[in-house]
């Protein structure tokens, strides 16, 4: 197995963080969650960053964290759903990492995210419509990943098993 990082990308609610945390445990590697790093640096939650400073400020903070973590090796990274929509971020991450995109259908994403209010982009009156629109916009960027796994009918362990075959 190479010392490349494994970076999980993909839409909100596709299971990136749960999969990355457990995968890191199984591989005995460092686990990094970009949103958690941003929250720690800023001292407030992602939701509060969006409310107080706006999305552009968050994207700048996200870019700065990606600059730092992309120099690492041998870690498992969970990236926020918008991280690789920025080409510079994707290229930086690609340097030392294998990029795995987790996918899910809009209905599954809605089911997995609907009871959680910590995602500012989905705290809207019609989250299903937002999910469909954002997915359509973002799909071409997610497709630039090295591998894509559809998680609709998979458990966390099954997703991990599939990732392990790619390493
Ligand atoms: C975002 C996804 C979130 C978080 C922020 C913006 C996005 O991360 O970075 O709310 O643009 O898709 P998760 O994908 O981990 O929920």
């Amino acid at each position: 197995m190479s010392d490349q990082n494994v970076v999980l990308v993909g839409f909100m609610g596709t299971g990136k963080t749960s999969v990355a945390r457990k995968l890191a445990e199984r591989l005995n590697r460092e686990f990094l969650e970009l949103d958690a790093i941003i929250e720690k640096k800023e001292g407030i939650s992602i939701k509060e960053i969006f409310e107080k400073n706006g999305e552009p400020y968050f994207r700048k903070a996200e870019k700065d964290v990606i600059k730092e973590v992309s120099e690492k090796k041998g870690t498992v990274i969970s990236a926020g759903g918008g991280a690789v929509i920025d080409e510079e971020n994707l290229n930086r991450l690609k340097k030392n990492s294998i990029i795995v995109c987790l996918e899910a259908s809009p209905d599954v994403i809605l089911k997995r995210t609907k009871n959680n209010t910590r995602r500012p982009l989905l705290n809207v009156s019609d989250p299903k419509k937002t999910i469909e629109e954002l997915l359509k916009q973002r799909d071409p960027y997610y497709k630039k990943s090295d591998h894509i796994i559809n998680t609709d009918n998979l458990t966390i362990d099954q997703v991990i098993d599939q990732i392990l075959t790619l390493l």
Side-chain angles (χ1 to χ4, degrees), residues 11-12 109 113 116 119-125 127 130-131 134:
F11 205 76
M12 296 168 268
I109 290 170
T113 55
N116 192 324
R119 291 187 176 94
L121 295 180
L122 299 182
N123 279 341
V124 292
S125 56
T130 303
I131 290 168
L134 274 178

Side-chain angles (χ1 to χ4, degrees), residues 12-13 18 39 47 109-124 127:
M12 296 168 268
S18 311
E39 287 181 332
K47 187 170 171 253
I109 290 170
L110 184 67
K111 213 165 96 193
R112 291 182 188 162
T113 55
K114 70 171 183 237
N115 293 323
N116 192 324
T117 54
R118 67 174 184 86
R119 291 187 176 94
L121 295 180
L122 299 182
N123 279 341
V124 292

